Amino acid sequence: MTTTVITNIASLVTNDPTLGDGSPLGLVQDAALVLDGDRVVWAGPAAQAPAADQRVDAAGRAVIPGFVDSHSHLVFAGDRTAEFNARMSGQAYKAGGIRTTVAATRAATDAELSANVARYLEEALRQGTTTFETKSGYGLTVEDEARALRIAAEHTDEVTYLGAHIVSPDYADDPAGYVDLVTGAMLDACAPYARWVDVFCEKGAFDGDQARAILTAGKAKGLLPRVHANQLSYGPGVQLAVELDAASADHCTHLTDADVDALASGNTVATLLPGAEFSTRAEWPDARRLLDAGVTVALSTDCNPGSSFTSSVPFCIALAVRDMHMTPDEALWSATAGGAAALRRTDVGRLTPGTRADLTFLAAPSHVHLAYRPGVPLVSEVWRRGVRVA
């Protein structure tokens, strides 16, 4: 393999506290990075960089790990412009709007759905995202959920079975029957394509007992749990996620002290999705409360057509700093290493020897500009697995 040294980096975020300034970001000023094929093999001060086969000049830009977007819903058709317009005109957000996307997704062809996924992943890649998770949840029949996951698996390894997004309209009068389907024939058809099992534990979706049954059945099939938890109201989702050792409890907007304590004492990451609060004018999650309690926090886009139609992690970082009381350092860590923790990955979200060479160049001397200059297209170059891809 050819080795590459990237030098003249104004500031390098490694997310390795043994490097650089010793902070969680492992920030190295006037830095260099050495790649060997698809891996990082050295990171540190430019003056100490070892020789390599080829040299790339970062021209005084900042380099950060590629963003790890650990929560998205990209297998869908149609949009919900009218719903968004109504919401911005004063109507409240409710979970049932998902049914509009279900109808459009069922009517779409496989080619149309795959093209949509590719389009949004390319859009995210141009904004620095190099690792993506995405879910089913807009089919809600055995056939449509299985094809959604099959299509998702063509684009990413991080695929989540979300047959339990809402109760299918076909089972509106028989929610118990739908839970039986989600934990039975649908699970059997979907498990081969997925790594994760998820459930929307919320009023209007699935209660705690139903969520427990769904996640337990998924675990029995070898899928790892994650939970849509406590988004619209207080509920059992966070406690259930910690009890079942879910990798992530996502949203975490309405939390009791017991919920925060449970997250702090367990292995479950609190994934915050500020795009959803922005797009629904809902209450912001209190990231400061979680961080001060010692909870591991991730930031993700929740890209979906109903409640957070953004693929931009930089936008979510700016929201988290402005409205969720995170520092720029905390927000960047949460969007990289935090996202990796939410996917239980150690090979991404960091730029340290042995990790995957996924890196993002910023047209700025510091990562702080992601929040300092909101809305500005600062991502100037993206590398994935050691190859320049955007």
Side-chain angles (χ1 to χ4, degrees):
M1 292 185 181
T2 301
T3 57
T4 301
V5 59
I6 302 170
T7 191
N8 196 17
I9 301 171
S11 62
L12 172 67
V13 173
T14 67
N15 286 336
D16 182 347
T18 68
L19 297 175
D21 64 356
S23 71
L25 290 188
L27 191 64
V28 185
Q29 304 292 345
D30 189 15
L33 196 64
V34 179
L35 316 181
D36 188 350
D38 65 352
R39 297 285 151 174
V40 175
V41 293
W42 188 88
Q48 301 173 19
D53 298 322
Q54 59 187 23
R55 182 179 183 272
V56 172
D57 186 348
R61 292 175 289 175
V63 173
I64 63 175
F67 298 125
V68 180
D69 193 344
S70 62
H71 184 128
S72 71
H73 304 249
L74 300 183
V75 189
F76 68 88
D79 71 18
R80 280 149 66 184
T81 304
E83 177 189 323
F84 176 80
N85 192 36
R87 195 161 59 241
M88 294 300 105
S89 302
Q91 296 184 19
Y93 172 69
K94 298 179 181 179
I98 293 167
R99 294 179 181 86
T100 303
T101 302
V102 169
T105 303
R106 288 179 178 181
T109 66
D110 288 11
E112 289 168 338
L113 293 177
S114 184
N116 264 355
V117 175
R119 170 189 170 192
Y120 294 119
L121 290 184
E122 175 63 25
E123 184 179 275
L125 181 68
R126 292 196 305 270
Q127 298 175 88
T129 301
T130 52
T131 300
F132 322 86
E133 180 272 355
T134 201
K135 311 175 193 296
S136 66
Y138 293 127
L140 309 186
T141 67
V142 172
E143 178 182 348
D144 285 307
E145 285 294 294
R147 76 165 178 150
L149 292 172
R150 174 175 48 78
I151 289 166
E154 294 170 357
H155 297 275
T156 180
D157 294 333
E158 298 294 349
V159 177
T160 301
Y161 168 48
L162 184 59
H165 203 176
I166 58 168
V167 174
S168 169
D170 309 321
Y171 284 79
D173 298 323
D174 185 17
Y178 187 64
V179 172
D180 288 342
L181 181 69
V182 169
T183 58
M186 187 183 287
L187 174 60
D188 290 341
C190 290
Y193 301 108
R195 183 183 179 206
W196 305 97
V197 59
D198 198 347
V199 60
F200 190 9
C201 185
E202 185 59 71
K203 293 176 182 177
F206 298 89
D207 64 24
D209 290 340
Q210 293 168 327
R212 182 188 301 278
I214 291 161
L215 295 172
T216 302
K219 288 184 73 173
K221 281 286 188 179
L223 303 182
L224 304 173
R226 50 201 321 110
V227 184
H228 281 62
N230 300 53
Q231 177 186 6
L232 306 178
S233 61
Y234 294 97
V238 163
Q239 298 278 351
L240 181 62
V242 175
E243 175 192 332
L244 296 180
D245 193 31
S248 183
D250 297 33
H251 288 290
C252 293
T253 306
H254 299 277
L255 300 179
T256 65
D257 288 345
D259 293 331
V260 175
D261 290 344
L263 288 165
S265 62
N267 298 315
T268 299
V269 174
T271 298
L272 307 184
L273 308 166
E277 280 69 43
F278 176 88
S279 298
T280 61
R281 286 184 173 159
E283 178 182 342
W284 297 99
D286 190 348
R288 186 79 270 135
R289 180 186 181 196
L290 291 165
L291 290 163
D292 288 349
V295 176
T296 300
V297 171
L299 278 180
S300 185
T301 63
D302 190 19
C303 186
N304 75 84
S307 61
S308 183
F309 204 3
T310 181
S311 58
S312 175
V313 173
F315 173 65
C316 292
I317 287 174
L319 290 180
V321 172
R322 169 62 178 80
D323 292 305
M324 287 163 42
H325 311 295
M326 300 181 83
T327 68
D329 285 11
E330 289 167 340
L332 178 62
W333 189 95
S334 295
T336 51
L343 295 174
R344 295 200 168 158
R345 297 276 295 269
T346 58
D347 61 328
V348 296
R350 292 174 171 80
L351 294 175
T352 190
T355 59
R356 211 166 75 178
D358 294 351
L359 47 144
T360 292
F361 292 70
L362 303 179
S366 166
H367 65 281
V368 177
H369 283 235
L370 291 166
Y372 180 44
R373 305 197 67 207
V376 176
L378 293 178
V379 173
S380 60
E381 198 169 314
V382 183
W383 294 44
R384 184 195 280 165
R385 298 181 186 270
V387 177
R388 186 187 286 109
V389 292

